[in-house]
Each structure stands twice: as structure tokens, then as C-alpha cells.
Amino acid sequence: MATVTLTEPMKEFTPVAGGIKIAIDRGGTFTDCIGSHPDKPDVVIKLLSVDPQNYDDAPREAIRRVLEIYTGAKIGRHDKLDTSLIDSIRMGTTVATNALLERKGERCALVTTRGFGDCLIIGNQSRPKIFDIAIHKPEVLYKTVVEIDERVTLEDYTEHPDKFKTSDIAGDTALRVGLSGEVVRVLKAPEHEQVRNVLQDLYDDGFRSLAVSLTHSYTFPDHERIIGTIAKKIGFAHISLSSELMPMIKLVPRATSATADAYLTPEIKKYISGFEQGFSGGLGTASAMSGTGTRCEFMQSDGGLVDVNSFSGLRAILSGPAGGVVGYALTSYDPHSKIPVIGFDMGGTSTDVSRYGDGRYEHVFETTTAGVTIQSPQLDINTVAAGGGSRLFWRNGLFVVGPESASAHPGPACYRKGGPLTVTDANLLLGRLVPEFFPKIFGPHENDGLDIEASERLFMELTATINAELGPGHEMSVDQVAHGFIKVADETMIRPIRALTEAKGYDTSKHRLATFGGAGGQHAVAIAEALGISQILVHKYSSVLSAYGMALADVVQEVQEPSSLVFNDVTEMSFVDRFDALKMKAAQALYDQGFTDDNIEYELYLNMRYQGTESALMIIKPAEGWDFKSPFIAHHMQEFGFILPNRDLIVDDVRVRGIGKAFQLSEESVDEQLKTVTTKAVSTSKASFRKQVYFQGGRMNTPVYKLENLDIGSKITGPAILADGTQTIVVPPLTSAVMLKTHVIVNIGDEAGKKSATTEKVDPITLSIFGHRFMAIAEQMGRALQKTSVSTNVKERLDYSCALFDADGGLVANAPHLPVHLGSMSTAVKTQANLWKGRLKRGDVIVSNHPTTGGTHLPDITVITPAFHDDKIVFYVASRAHHADIGGILPGSMPPNSRELYQEGAAILSEKLVSEGHFDEERITQLLLIEPAKYPDCSGTRCLLDNINDLKAQVAANQKGINLIDTLIEEYGEDVVQFYMIAIQTNAELSVKNLLKKVSLRFGGKTMKAVDYMDDGSPICLKVDINGDDGTAVFDFNGTGPEVYGNTNAPEAVTYSAIIYCLRCLITEDIPLNQGCLKPVTVIIPKKSFLSPSPNAAVVGGNVLTSQRVTDVIFRAFEACAASQGDCNNLTFGIGGKSEVDGKITQVRGWGYYETIAGGSGAGPSWHGTSGVHTHMTNTRITDAEIFERRYPVILREFAIRKGSGGEGQYRGGDGVVRDIEFRVPVQCSILSERRVYHPYGLAGGEEAACGLNLWVRLIDDGKGNKIERVINLGGKNTAAMAAGERIIIQTPGGGGYGPSHLDAEENGRKIDPRSTWRGQGSLANYVSTQESN
């Protein structure tokens, strides 16, 4: 039986008659259970979560086993369990998570506002993976959607130049004051009869679960309540109103949240009902208080427990992992020493990372799990890898770990279910797992141990494959291969852990690492070493800490409401009143669960941000008084590195967290125990046995100690293994472990983890690690840039790229965030390296944005810094950021009608921004403010302060990169770093050569040709000749049209970016993105064509339009897929700028808005196109409808899929979208678009897609005092002065079809696993997805 007591032997048990407390974590692979009784030792049970041959429900089976042990009575597997024996059950469950992952929730319908029925299909319009041309967005959770004819909007807008706010609503019956304090205009109230008819039809169709989310219901819930009341009368069993679940602004996440709740909560209720059937008494507070049952509480995603009868799907998604955070937070953090802790939870199917500091949990309020973005308070738990079940691959000459997982079933190869090789198998083969102590729960009868022979067999096969590819003289042993995968797995996890802490402004080395989960102890030391952490804490229940956390957790009730008020001395006390009201709501819910005022505490929060920004911070009430401003400023400085002293502080939400204190931890803290413990070296004679364990360099004769045989104060020097039935702790050489009452403390010596590598030959393990290290430099530069920048574009939209280059300017690593920057940054660095050759010194920094020196368009400014070692340049680092304005004829520096480069703003060929550490503010001011204004009708930059601040942030980001390069050289030596820099480029080169050889074979060595036309008739011609023998190719663009008198000219760097992007997409696997990708390719671009324009040609459209068309042409030549929309649909509108009256020029204050709009993606040889998504060279998110209307004087009338606009075919092209915007004040509106004349092509017999269409709905006086509508086609590129009440309707192109439409797509269609595009949850995943959609 899989039973362990961690305190004393089982034989000393005597039966008990009740008072048993049970805490359970039902994880993906294992279910952990801790039973406790005041007079008996704890009992720990670990069993498989899925084992249908032996039991139906793992938690109930675990409880049965606990009761058998404590009572001494035999209980049948199908007998009902006696609740009189149980004092309480606390549980974390994956029921909701599994239903979400497997898409097996309740059949439900969504009710929303007319015009927004497709809002969840479009989402934020970005694609999940930027290099996947077979785009697959997560499916919506509802089965059908209905639109209700109702609409409200906000009366005021925050971008108003004079900050006007409506104060008197008495004279207008359509105006209301919302919950947030914002004035709401009711444009159309719902008609009860229409609502009743629509809902009755749904009910008659079998729907019983309903989600309701209407525009602006976060502040004006009245219309949702009307629908909810009618639905209840009709008989719907479950109704989720978004305004009740989470009243926060943003329609799409709130609608997704309501849908998730309607989808998951009925499944939760079904599971709980079935779970209760296994007990003889009732479960829950009501049953316990009436004496007919026992308390039963479930862990919520926010780290608080809730009564079983109030447990909902929306709050259940992180139920299990939340218990682990509570467990390590309460057992590893000392409130006196205040040393922050990083939680490292490595289980069988996932590795989760979190942080605990300052004595409170870190929450996020919008995160994505299993492809579903929801609004709900959740602990900031970041999934960074697939855990012990991460699969192992040899791909393109590199060791690759994950992200694919063996899951709970079949699990790793050693689990006796025919599974694949995983990290767990590698640890087992290397001796880092102890099969003798591991629970014997495998095999058909649950009595077999781990199968090491299966692991060895598969590793031998993989090693043979690797050695065959490496060739004679480069062979690796099975041990070396397994250890290589362990090292790569560690590096894969280290990158996101560092990112998580540094993104919040913390230094990882100032933390302790609390490791838990079944696999954590095998990897903790390597992880800590790399992060600079010197001390690891392993709780005695580390492998079941999530279950232990359930036992320690408090019951929590969260209450929240929206706000829009400024926080200042005048409004301060109004928030006190709101807090009091919310505390009463929270208290009542806790009273109902048996708590009294004596054991209820409250945490009070304001969600605050600076006016004009979207970076809100949740600020807890200070210990004394109500001054939220001071802690906000301190937190903002900590996380972002600056403050905005002249900006108002806006409060978006008022939040109360009511806490029912249910358990008082009695154990001493780690620091208290360390003060009193007396350490004593342990004799190796205490070891249970010795075994050969592989560490760096080879196998070592290693003692294995059973944890229960070690006394408090025992000091064990590595190498050693400490283990029991639930955990294995690896203590490598040069580290030591100390036993405390509650923890094992692992201390890392100064000499541990020293790096060693040679330049004799390329070691594929070291190469894989360097791939991660080089990319980590680029990523950390990016986070430094975001942290210290000021502008919205950089800080919030993350519109930037950072990269590492060799001494010649060749790309080494570029985090793949902006496709259009991939190749062009290298062109910029190479050009500047040549221009300044021999003239640069330490502390010099170069700035440039000119199209002829590798720029894309002028707002993208590149900052380049040389990295020196021994007085020679060994690398360059560069950062490119999109600046919101750099002058020109229109605000935003993105004019649709520019003809010359000067009209688009400041153009900088090559300048020193910093000379030996001195930032030349005077010169950059001249370049950005004075020079552009010298041209006709042009202005200098309209946001100089933001420009300078962001340029300083770019300089700081580059310095971060240089510091990291110095660290890397210090670790390995310059020769090794340079050696592997070349090797990683060679690896990418070989990957591209292999691709090109396959393409040549497919085309029979024939020349590949393609041509397409811009809307002005300019051709883009491409001929590709591939040498099938050596894998090289020539991309020849001869025949492309001449430079145009417009702005669709594209700098040469844009074409290089398109080529590297297309090649990466065609490889379909993760490879290092660097200069090696282009080494096999020769590119011929005819001079004076619009792909190689003259230095003064306008180029703003080349970056956002022509780049898309070049991409389509390349894919057409390779016959990879049909054309996508081939466009970005750039829409700008605003007011203000230069004004000339009677010859006098004045600057009118105003505002501006810019967006790009999704369309359809092209179908391919085995997939349908996707509707309403951004494609290829852009991936920009769309502003949520409610934020859009809060900030600007607009009404979004419709944002929907443009049905039928995709091309027909065996595989159908994706549809474009319709975006209908009404202006409430006069504005200047401009559109810059393509594919309004030439259709997106179909391929292989597929049909072309519909062109786009831009319409202006004008209001014309009919001569009788009435306004009538006149619809005018604006064409592809135009600007117009639009009056209040007028609309612009953008109908975007679809994607082309693939294959003749009479063929059946399902016969050989590729089945795409929807989970392949899902990310882990947490703030880190949000950061990455935001940057990949900027």
C-alpha cells in the first residue's frame, strides 16, 4: 500500500474513533493526501490520479486508505465512508482544469450585445504562435451565441484635452451613474419580450447553462440583471453574469470568464455530487453545523478555501497549485528575517514557479489558462515547463526538453505503461531516483516499482541515434546523454524563473529557493546555483506540500467593485466608506461558514495607476492611516524604475479580501530553528546503502540516507541522496545538507557549479545550453527596457526588440517578438559596425533609424552598444523601440499620404548617443525636435520627454546585455563563448540547409517562381533557385517594380526580415534565430525598385504593408499556403496638432489613436485558414471595446467576422472582420491599407479571398434640416475630416483557399492538437504573449 508516516513507524498505531483531518491535492500525475489526528502521527498517501483499473476517484480512495490506517478497520473500495470519523476534508482538485484542458465542460450559450457575437472568436486578434502559418486559436467554450439588441456607452472619455467630466445628469434621462462613478449613456435598453423569446429558444434547444456578458456591464449591470431574471424564470439551471463574477473593465476577458464559469461550474457540481455519494453523511458547513456530516472545503485559485457548496469553476482553475504556494509561504518565509522565497514546484506534469515576499501572496487578475483568458483573482503561479514528464528529443543537432509532456497517462517510460523518454527517466537512469524507496504503485496490480530497464532501453536507442549523427570521434555515452538532458531541462526552467523575479524588480540572488513536488529535489541545487541562490529549503512534506498547504490554508471571501475616481486628499475618505460596505459583504459570507469576528481579518486593496497609463498595481492598505499614494509610488519605483509626479492617480478597483483564520501554524520558522540547532557531521555508516550516481564528470559511489533515520542537526556532505517514500533530494558534491525539525536545508558552496567547456569540438549539450544563455541575454535586455521605459508603446504594448550580435554585426540571438525586426536589426548593426570601425570606445552608444542603414520605418529607433573584452569588440548589443512620435506631417509619424521621407519624421543615419558614458541630450534634442520642423508642413517630435526617457531606457537595456556577456565570459572564458557563438549560428545554418534540400527534392530541382501585385499595380517578382546538393539558395527579386511616389517603398532590411521569417515558419520547429538562418541564402534586390528605394523615399507603408506582400510572395513560391490578408489595415484618428489662423501657427492640444486590424489567414495543404487574426509580419493586439470607449469619443458599433470573405477550397481560407466605428466628436481619420484591388490568392485550385473595403458613412443635410447617410468608398489609402455621428467601416480581406473545393478536407486534413498553442498561466506567460503580439 502506498502509505508512509513521516514521524514514527506504522506499527505503533492504535485505532481511533474520530477527529481525523484530511487534506488532499489531486494533481495531474499523483494524488497526495495527508491525514492528521491530534493523538497520532500524520499519514501520507500518494497514489496515481488516474488508475481506472483499481478505483474510480483518487481523492475518495485516498480518504478510504487513511481511514483504514487510523481506524484499523477494513473498508471496501465501494463502501460508503463514515463522515463521523472525519473532522474536516480540505481539497485541491483538477476537475475544472481537466474539463478546460480536455474541453469537456457543460454545453452552454453566451448572451452578448448586438454587434459583438464574435468577440470571443476574435479575442485580442493575435495568433498564439507567431511562426505557425497553420494558425490554430483556442476554441471558444460556448456552443452558441445570441445577440441582444441593447447598448450602453460611457459619456466621457479620458483623453479629453481639458479632462472634461459630466457632472449634471438631471436633464437627460438616458444618462446614469455607474458603479465605477463613470457616467453611462443608455443607447438602447433591452426589450423584455425579445429577451424572453431568445432565451426560450435556447432552453428549448436543450441549453441549461448560460453566460451573459454585455458591454460596460462592469459599471452598469442593470441589463445583465434583467436577462438573468428572465433566464431564471424560464428555468436555466446555471446563469453566470459577468458583472457579478468579476466587475472589471474589458469585455473580452469578462465574457470569457462568464463563459468559463458557465462551462465549468456545472462540471464541478456534478463531481461534488458524485464525490458526496461516497460518504454516509453530508459534506459542507451546513451538514457539519447540523451534525449530519463534516466540513468540506475546496482550495480556490487565489489561495483561499471555500465551502464545498460555494466552489465555482471560475475560481477553481489553479486549485491544486495554489495549495503548494500556501504550503511553502507559511512554512518557508520568516516574518522577522523577511527573506523572500521563490517557490519551485516540479511535479509529474508541470513545473510551477511563484514568489512570496513581504508576508503576503502575489495575485494576478487577468491570466490565460488552457488558451482561455479570464478575469479572476489568482495566485501568480507561472508554469515554466512540463515537469518530470517533460519529453526528451534530439532535434537539429540540439538536446530539446519539452514542452511536450508524457502526461499522467501513459507517463514516463519507467511507469510501465509504454510511455516515452522523459526527465524522470533521465533521473532514474543516472541514479538520482531511488526505486527502493519509491512507492510500488505501478503495473496492473499496483504493486510494481519503477521500470529502470524500460528507461535504459530507450536511452540506448536515442544515444545510438545521436552518435550516428555526431559521427566517429564524437560519440557520447548513455550517461552523458541522460545528464545532458538534465542540464538542458534545468536551463529551460532557469530562464523563466529569472525573468519572473527580475520583471518585478527583484534580485534572484536575494531569495531562498523552496523546492517541492515529486521531482523538485533532484533539480533544486542546479537551479539555485544558476540563479545565484545559496540556500534551498525542502520541507519534510515537500513532495506533498500542496496537500499540506490545504491543511494550513484560510477560508477566503473576495469582494470587489469598479472605480474611476482620482485618489487624493478629497476622495480618500470616500474609499473608506466603500471599504466598509465591501467588508460587510465579505463578513456575511464568512459568518455563513461558521466564522465570527474574532477570527476574521481583512486585507484592503486599491487597484491604482497613473492617469494615461494601463500599468495598474494592486496596493494594500498601509498599517496606519489611509494613505495609499505613498506605497503606490514606492511600488511603482520598485517595479518600473520611475514615477510620474505630475500625473493623477486613478483607482480602477476597490477590493476587500476577507480571511477566516482556520488554522494556526505551530512549527518554528526556519530561521528560529537555525539559531538553536547544533550541527553534527553524519557518519556514512548511517546510510541505508550506497549506489553509483552520475554527477558532472562521471558516476560516484554515493551514500543514500533514509530521511527518517537522520537526527535533527545532522549535516550531510555531498555527494549524497536523501530520500523517503515520497521524495528524493540530491545533494551534489561541494554542497551540504542540514536536518531541521521541519526542513532539510541545502547550502551551496562557493565552488559548486563551476562551468567547464572546451573548444576542441562542439559538444551538443553545451551548444543547447548556450542557445538558452544567448537568448536569455536578449530576453533580460528586453525586460530591463520595459522596466525603465516610460511610454505606453514600450512599457505596455512592448513594441520593441533586443538582440545580441557578433563582432561583425551578425545576429546571435533575437527573442522572436517582432518578425519585421528579425533580419533588419542585423543589417543596422553591420552597417554601424563598419561605419565606426576602429573608432568606438567603452561607454560609446550609437543611434540610428534611417532606412538605408537597416531601419524599417522611422519611429523604430535602434540603439547599438559595443561589448569589449581586453580592449577589443567581441559582441554588439542592440535594442530597437517604436517611439510614439518623432515628428513629421501628422501626429504618430505614420501618415497614410506621405510622399517623401522627411514627412514621416526625424531620420538619423548614424550618431553617437553616448560618448564614453556621457548621454548627449543636446544633440538628440536637435535631431528629434529641431531638424524635422525645418521641412514644409512638418513638426518636430510631439513627445520629446518620452523619446529621451525611452532612449535612456534603451541604453540601460544594452548595458544590461553587456553585463550579462561579461558574466558569461567570466564563467566560460572568451574563447569558449566565441566558439559556441559561431557554433549556434552554424546550427541554424544547417537547419535551413536541410529545409532547402527537402524543398528542392519536392520541386524536383526546378526553379520556383511567384509574382503578386500591390494595389497600385507594382509587381513583386521572386525567383528561387535551390542547390539541392549543398542546401543553398538564391532569392532573386529582379522584375520587381520601381520605387513609388508614395509610402509603400520598403527598405532592403524589410525583405531580409520577411525571408528569415518565412524560413523559420517552414522549418516548423524551434531553432536558434540568428545570422546562420541567412548564410545559405543569397538575396538579389534590384536597386531603385520599391524594395530598395532611394535614401529619401517615403517608407512608412513598406514596413506595415509591403512586408506582408513580400511574405505572401515567398510562401507562394514555396507553395506553402494561400495568401493571407496581406495587410495590417492601419487606422489612425484624432484631433489637434498644428493650426494656422490668419497666418499665425499655433499648436492645438489633442489626442491620437492608432490600431491595426485583423483579417483572414490563408489555408494550406492540410489546414483551414483562421478568421479574424493577424498574420505574418504583425501580431498586434486590438484595444478592448470598453477600454476603447473609455479613452476615446467613439462607439464601436460592430466588431465581427466578415462571413464568406475567405476563399473557398478543399481547405477554406479564413474570413476577415468588420469593424464599424462611430465618432462622437469631429476627428481627422486616416486609413493605410492594401488588398483593396488585388485579391488574396488561392493555391492549388483554391479560390481567392474577398478584397478589403473601407467605407465612410457620411451624414449629409437633405435640405430639410434632416441628416441622411451617404456611404462613400475611401479606397485603400486616404484621410478625411469626419463629423460627429459619422462612421468608418473597415471590412478586412480574407485568406485564400487551398485545393479544389469539391475535395473533402476531412479525408487527409491535419488534426491539430489545440493544446499545442496554449501557454502556462501567470504574469510571465502574459508578458511573453503580450510581447509576441505587439
Side-chain angles (χ1 to χ4, degrees), residues 120-181:
L120 297 192
I121 295 174
I122 300 170
N124 63 18
Q125 78 178 9
S126 67
R127 62 191 185 277
K129 290 190 172 182
I130 60 174
F131 295 119
D132 194 349
I133 54 176
I135 299 169
H136 188 84
K137 295 171 72 174
E139 306 98 331
V140 294
L141 299 179
Y142 58 79
K143 282 294 181 186
T144 191
V145 60
V146 295
E147 297 182 354
I148 298 296
D149 195 10
E150 71 80 42
R151 189 66 159 93
V152 303
T153 190
L154 303 181
E155 183 68 359
D156 304 317
Y157 63 101
T158 60
E159 294 297 313
H160 194 292
D162 299 318
K163 305 301 177 191
F164 174 80
K165 285 195 173 183
T166 301
S167 56
D168 182 13
I169 66 169
D172 192 335
T173 56
L175 296 182
R176 308 277 197 282
V177 177
L179 297 177
S180 63

Side-chain angles (χ1 to χ4, degrees), residues 1112 1123-1126 1235 1238-1242 1247-1252 1293-1297:
D1112 273 345
S1124 293
Q1125 70 160 333
R1235 291 284 193 203
Y1238 287 90
H1239 292 255
Y1241 60 80
E1247 297 178 19
E1248 62 187 20
C1251 283

Side-chain angles (χ1 to χ4, degrees), residues 764-830:
I765 300 168
T766 308
L767 180 64
S768 303
I769 290 171
F770 264 100
H772 283 283
R773 294 297 296 271
F774 288 140
M775 188 63 78
I777 292 173
E779 290 172 346
Q780 289 185 70
M781 287 173 64
R783 289 182 177 90
L785 176 52
Q786 185 213 15
K787 182 178 182 295
T788 53
S789 63
V790 172
S791 71
T792 300
N793 259 0
V794 179
K795 177 164 292 298
E796 292 162 15
R797 290 186 63 238
L798 310 185
D799 195 346
Y800 60 81
S801 283
C802 295
L804 173 66
F805 304 84
D806 62 30
D808 297 321
L811 179 64
V812 175
N814 189 154
H817 300 134
L818 284 173
V820 79
H821 289 174
L822 285 176
S824 59
M825 287 244 304
S826 179
T827 307
V829 177
K830 281 182 177 178

